[in-house]
Amino acid sequence: MFKKGLFLFLTAFLLICSVSLASASGLFSELNETDYADERLPVLDEVADVVSVSQTIDSVTVEVSQAYYEGNRVYVSYKATEQIYEQDGLELEDGSYADIIAGGSVQQEDGSIIGWKECIVPEDALADDQTFCLVYSTPENKDKRTLSFTLKHHKYDQFLQGNSPDALYQARAILYIGKVDLKGIVILTSPEQAASWLAWQEGKEGTGTDVISSWNLYQNGELVSYDLFGASEVHEDDVTFSVMFPFMEDLSGLSLVPEYSGAGEKTDEAIILEPMDQE
């Protein structure tokens, strides 16, 4: 499906004079100096491939500058000589769609555009080498344009796991350690929690249960980072949380602390994270 930007926080254009395409740093780092700053962008500048593929159609030049493909995520930085209407996510060669979960684009003083995307690649489409397509159209011509680029797949080689100590519910966490960030899932098994989440999603009154809204990352008892996502999928008996945190080289002493919508954080219910045996 060809989308023109459904989320304002991902597609709003800002007039930023301080960012220049001529900067010596990579485009990811330049974007980190805008209102779409993300602490992972400087890391991406170091690990991403320099793609530099471009095409010029109807006097508009669009370029994919850098890209990185790790696990089930692909990160792309791009620029255009003028405003374009872009698809939120990326298309794959086989027609699959990698939906966007983060990013943004910035209009510069000269009318050019710089931007970045983080997209989720469908599990059944993961491959060692993958061709992605940036899809867009121009204000003068609404025809669909595609700019293709091929990336090597980097797999996760470290994993952390843990289980909750609380008897009122069961929660299992798995975190994947990449070169960009720490990401994974927490599966919370609790019919009471699931019922409250479902009621909230359906616009109904709550069940009286104080729901766990997110899981925050702690190291040696100190808060490191708040979860960037929250609940992503709710079923009759369980709630799955997608969790994501900035990259960390030191993985010792990590734990996930649940944050309730009413009571706040409960450190006594922390999930202690340990390296997962890959044998």
Side-chain angles (χ1 to χ4, degrees):
M1 179 179 177
F2 183 56
K3 298 188 267 184
K4 294 183 180 178
L6 301 181
F7 304 103
L8 291 177
F9 73 96
L10 292 174
T11 56
F13 294 111
L14 304 175
L15 186 61
I16 303 294
C17 301
S18 60
V19 180
S20 171
L21 288 173
S23 171
S25 63
L27 196 54
F28 280 121
S29 285
E30 292 182 26
L31 285 155
N32 197 46
E33 300 173 14
T34 73
D35 280 7
Y36 290 109
D38 186 306
E39 53 194 307
R40 298 173 299 159
L41 292 176
V43 179
L44 278 165
D45 227 13
E46 297 179 6
V47 302
D49 298 324
V50 177
V51 178
S52 295
V53 298
S54 65
Q55 65 183 13
T56 300
I57 300 176
D58 301 328
S59 75
V60 179
T61 299
V62 178
E63 175 184 292
V64 172
S65 301
Q66 300 161 283
Y68 185 65
Y69 178 24
E70 179 180 81
N72 68 341
R73 305 289 174 86
V74 58
Y75 307 84
V76 178
S77 67
Y78 61 95
K79 53 189 176 183
T81 53
E82 63 181 72
Q83 182 174 332
I84 57 174
Y85 299 120
E86 56 182 295
Q87 188 180 49
D88 283 342
L90 299 169
E91 288 188 1
L92 281 64
E93 238 181 355
D94 65 0
S96 301
Y97 181 66
D99 205 0
I100 192 169
I101 61 170
S105 53
V106 177
Q107 185 174 14
Q108 301 190 103
E109 188 176 29
D110 63 358
S112 63
I113 301 297
I114 59 174
W116 73 283
K117 303 174 185 287
E118 177 186 1
C119 301
I120 298 180
V121 181
E123 292 295 330
D124 58 1
L126 295 175
D128 289 340
D129 293 293
Q130 188 68 265
T131 297
F132 299 92
C133 299
L134 181 74
V135 180
Y136 68 96
S137 65
T138 66
E140 295 79 15
N141 191 329
K142 299 302 188 293
D143 291 343
K144 176 179 174 180
R145 310 293 189 185
T146 59
L147 181 56
S148 301
F149 54 98
T150 300
L151 299 174
K152 176 184 177 182
H153 186 212
H154 298 270
K155 298 180 180 179
Y156 301 123
D157 56 7
Q158 294 186 76
F159 302 83
L160 298 175
Q161 66 176 347
N163 295 288
S164 65
D166 198 279
L168 296 178
Y169 62 83
Q170 293 180 332
R172 174 171 173 77
I174 300 177
L175 261 62
Y176 312 93
I177 314 304
K179 293 183 178 180
V180 180
D181 51 28
L182 286 66
K183 60 173 69 73
I185 60 172
V186 179
I187 301 176
L188 170 66
T189 302
S190 167
E192 293 79 11
Q193 290 280 326
S196 288
W197 270 105
L198 288 171
W200 177 78
Q201 289 184 343
E202 295 170 0
K204 300 178 181 178
E205 291 186 8
T207 62
T209 300
D210 190 4
V211 297
I212 295 176
S213 57
S214 61
W215 297 81
N216 300 323
L217 186 67
Y218 275 65
Q219 186 170 43
N220 300 321
E222 299 292 331
L223 177 66
V224 174
S225 177
Y226 290 105
D227 176 28
L228 301 179
F229 283 148
S232 59
E233 192 173 345
V234 183
H235 299 287
E236 184 176 349
D237 295 320
D238 58 70
V239 183
T240 298
F241 295 80
S242 293
V243 294
M244 185 174 72
F245 309 100
F247 172 77
M248 297 178 62
E249 291 187 357
D250 181 7
L251 302 176
S252 62
L254 294 181
S255 62
L256 291 175
V257 173
E259 181 172 348
Y260 287 78
S261 59
E265 293 182 317
K266 292 188 179 182
T267 55
D268 60 323
E269 297 179 15
I271 297 176
I272 306 302
L273 298 170
E274 302 286 352
M276 182 186 297
D277 186 3
Q278 296 302 297
E279 296 295 330

